Amino acid sequence: MKKFGKKLLATVVAATLVLGLTACGAAKDSGDAGTSDDSSSSSSSSGDTIKVGIINNDPNESGYRTANDKDLKEMFSAENGYDASFAYSLKNDEQITAAQKFIQDGVDYLLLSAADTSGWDSVLKDAQDAGIRVILFDRTIDASDSLYEASIVSDMDKEGETAANWLKDQGLSEYNIIHLQGVMGSAAQQGRSGALDQMAKDNGWTIVTQQTAEWNAEKAQQIVQSVIDSGDKFNVIYAENDDMAKGAVEALDKANISHGVGKDVVVMGFDCNKWALEELLNQNWNYDGQCNPFQAKYIDEVIKKLENGETLSEKTIIMEEKGFDATTITQDDVDKYGI
């Protein structure tokens, strides 16, 4: 669709959205849609500049997200032919509000890392009607693939299965697991939780507690401390990101409970922050699952193909990822894969 037609449709959809929000009494100031950063944006595209609206999770959520946001900002710059605006939130409703604003602004592409897998059908249909192309990154959604051009993601189910299989292969005499979950409903949480839940069910493992710490180290520390205080027996920490694993270890250290290779508690994390892989190298942790944050080059390649009128050979692009064991990890692994 030509940009002129897209802009006309965008104007119509924008008017509809504004009226709909006002009628429902749910209009919100754009500043309420999580944290936003419009410093790199302008009011409209010019020449060959491609206007993109990027909706992401809070960059302070984790080391993974910080690296992901930095990667996106470096790629979608004026120097690379982009006019990019960014919006951030860990809440689905705030992300949807940000998407509605980007539709009103008439972006050419909407890039989305959804806080939750559900609830996106309506706003993505609005984007499609306005001629705006949607590209998912980092996380999948529960919506028809006709609503987006491509999905550049990790295989979260595989990440969880790799970790759960590794844990089973440790052959522990018993499994008493503290399960620290990420933000509930996110693709990462669903994939990493689902695999452990199934493995525990199939093998009679005990889940001592299963709570969300929302990717946060301090909340994870509080959960583990509460289990320690209760006197419940545990020998595995399954944390769905490195920051939560770090918080869990702080609680263990405070209680003088040993952890790591050959110690009392097996510690597992995800994301492969460099400092986390160093914990494996020093055998203070046992396992870390990779989650690749560097998706910007994949998105850029998709946009270039679409701009050239090419047909994408695949809609879902899955990045290769690894799981690291403290007994086999090397310094080269830390240097190559640490983020």
Side-chain angles (χ1 to χ4, degrees), residues 4-51:
F4 177 78
K6 177 183 75 64
K7 299 296 183 185
L8 179 60
L9 280 169
T11 302
V12 174
V13 172
T16 303
L17 285 169
V18 171
L19 288 171
L21 286 170
T22 304
C24 295
K28 296 175 68 176
D29 183 270
S30 61
D32 290 339
T35 304
S36 63
D37 175 7
D38 294 323
S39 59
S40 61
S41 67
S42 61
S43 60
S44 63
S45 302
S46 61
D48 295 329
T49 300
I50 299 170
K51 189 171 182 177

Side-chain angles (χ1 to χ4, degrees), residues 46-309:
S46 61
D48 295 329
T49 300
I50 299 170
K51 189 171 182 177
V52 296
I54 303 174
I55 300 173
N56 205 348
N57 291 254
D58 185 349
N60 298 313
E61 168 202 83
S62 63
Y64 168 90
R65 191 63 56 185
T66 301
N68 179 248
D69 182 56
K70 182 174 182 288
D71 183 50
L72 291 166
K73 284 185 172 177
E74 288 176 350
M75 174 60 72
F76 297 103
S77 64
E79 292 76 12
N80 290 331
Y82 290 101
D83 174 11
S85 299
F86 293 79
Y88 305 98
S89 181
L90 290 170
K91 297 181 179 179
N92 223 43
D93 59 340
E94 291 181 344
Q95 286 193 338
I96 289 171
T97 298
Q100 291 168 335
K101 182 178 184 299
F102 285 143
I103 293 170
Q104 293 174 33
D105 291 344
V107 297
D108 300 311
Y109 291 87
L110 182 64
L111 313 183
L112 171 65
S113 177
D116 197 305
T117 57
S118 61
W120 285 99
D121 299 74
S122 179
V123 72
L124 295 192
K125 182 64 166 60
D126 290 337
Q128 187 177 72
D129 289 345
I132 296 168
R133 289 169 159 173
V134 176
I135 300 173
L136 308 181
F137 66 95
D138 179 46
R139 296 178 174 182
T140 58
I141 59 173
D142 295 329
S144 169
D145 64 7
S146 66
L147 295 176
Y148 55 87
E149 301 294 330
S151 177
I152 296 138
V153 293
S154 300
D155 188 337
M156 301 298 186
D157 290 339
K158 185 177 179 181
E159 285 182 10
E161 289 164 6
T162 300
N165 285 327
W166 176 90
L167 183 55
K168 180 182 178 181
D169 290 343
Q170 301 314 295
L172 304 180
S173 59
E174 58 182 344
Y175 287 80
N176 299 301
I177 303 166
I178 293 178
H179 182 189
L180 301 171
Q181 297 172 293
V183 172
M184 301 303 292
S186 67
Q189 177 273 315
Q190 291 180 342
R192 296 168 191 176
S193 290
L196 180 63
D197 287 344
Q198 189 61 53
M199 187 67 77
K201 180 180 178 181
D202 292 346
N203 293 278
W205 296 351
T206 298
I207 304 295
V208 178
T209 190
Q210 184 180 63
Q211 298 184 52
T212 178
E214 298 179 332
W215 312 123
N216 182 271
E218 183 177 350
K219 291 180 180 180
Q221 182 178 357
Q222 293 169 354
I223 292 169
V224 174
Q225 187 62 55
S226 68
V227 175
I228 294 170
D229 292 342
S230 74
D232 288 338
K233 181 172 61 174
F234 66 92
N235 64 338
V236 177
I237 301 284
Y238 183 100
E240 292 182 1
N241 82 341
D242 290 338
D243 287 329
M244 294 190 296
K246 181 179 181 180
V249 166
E250 288 175 358
L252 297 180
D253 287 341
K254 185 177 179 181
N256 294 316
I257 298 172
S258 68
H259 50 85
V261 177
K263 301 298 176 61
D264 293 332
V265 178
V266 171
V267 177
M268 303 174 65
F270 289 87
D271 288 351
C272 289
N273 286 280
K274 188 169 184 178
W275 56 263
L277 293 184
E278 288 171 348
E279 292 293 335
L280 263 71
L281 192 64
N282 295 325
Q283 300 197 340
N284 295 322
W285 293 15
N286 301 77
Y287 176 90
D288 207 31
Q290 186 187 22
C291 192
N292 187 353
F294 303 116
Q295 295 131 17
K297 67 177 182 180
Y298 295 91
I299 301 171
D300 178 60
E301 288 171 2
V302 167
I303 290 175
K304 282 182 168 58
K305 288 180 179 179
L306 293 174
E307 290 293 297
N308 290 331

